[in-house]
Amino acid sequence: SWEEYEEQEGDLVIEIDPGMSFGTGNHGTTKACLQFLDEVATGEEKTFMDMGCGSGILSMGASKLGYKSIEAFDYDPDAVRIAGENLVLAKCPGVKVFQQDLSEYVAGTKFDVVVANILAVVLKANASRIVAALKEGSESRLVLSGILHEQYGEIKEEFTKVGLKEVQCKEIDEWSSGLFAWK
């Protein structure tokens, strides 16, 4: 929110003040997630879940790209509060943000696109919970991020075991992020 930016044609600008939360858009994991969200946005109304929302930047990106029925959660109450404030600032109404620990999350709804930008150890321990939130079908996509290059193979293997296949991998800085679909 404090930086000057001259908008270019075709840009979707997100104004954000991350406060004490993770997510300004400059980190390799966030960049990869936003790129994947842009690539899988088809103009159709897709539902979206942001697991480990931090500042809310991925939910804001999803909203600006036309995703609908957006939900986001984080285990940190400060992150939930900051994400809510940022969603208002970015004029992204209707996003449901709530506090939740992924290790206790039970998906009540299935989503077309799920993003989990969380540390690899947490992704691995909660693979079945994460996948349970993804709608079944060829158009559904899961984005996994927060993974150091040397950890990516193990995470890819874990999610392959629960029924997914890797569609694409992005490497930005020392981080690997993967786009997955049902086998």
Side-chain angles (χ1 to χ4, degrees), residues 102-172:
L102 179 57
S103 68
E104 299 172 358
Y105 176 70
V106 177
T109 303
K110 304 256 183 189
F111 297 88
D112 296 308
V113 178
V114 174
V115 174
N117 185 8
I118 306 172
L119 295 174
V121 65
V122 179
L123 293 173
K124 183 177 179 182
N126 293 284
S128 60
R129 288 184 184 281
I130 294 167
V131 172
L134 188 64
K135 279 185 186 175
E136 297 209 14
S138 62
E139 298 300 314
S140 298
R141 295 292 181 265
L142 173 64
V143 177
L144 299 174
S145 198
I147 309 162
L148 293 168
H149 295 315
E150 60 270 15
Q151 299 168 321
Y152 186 77
E154 185 178 356
I155 298 302
K156 177 181 169 182
E157 181 181 330
E158 191 69 31
F159 281 83
T160 301
K161 282 194 263 184
V162 293
L164 300 177
K165 64 180 178 183
E166 179 191 61
V167 174
Q168 185 181 3
C169 177
K170 291 183 184 284
E171 294 182 350
I172 301 176

Side-chain angles (χ1 to χ4, degrees), residues 7 14 35 38 49 52 68 98 114 119 129 137 142 158 178:
E7 189 173 338
I14 298 171
Q35 290 171 8
D38 190 23
M49 168 54 83
K68 303 295 179 201
F98 55 98
V114 174
L119 295 174
R129 288 184 184 281
L142 173 64
E158 191 69 31

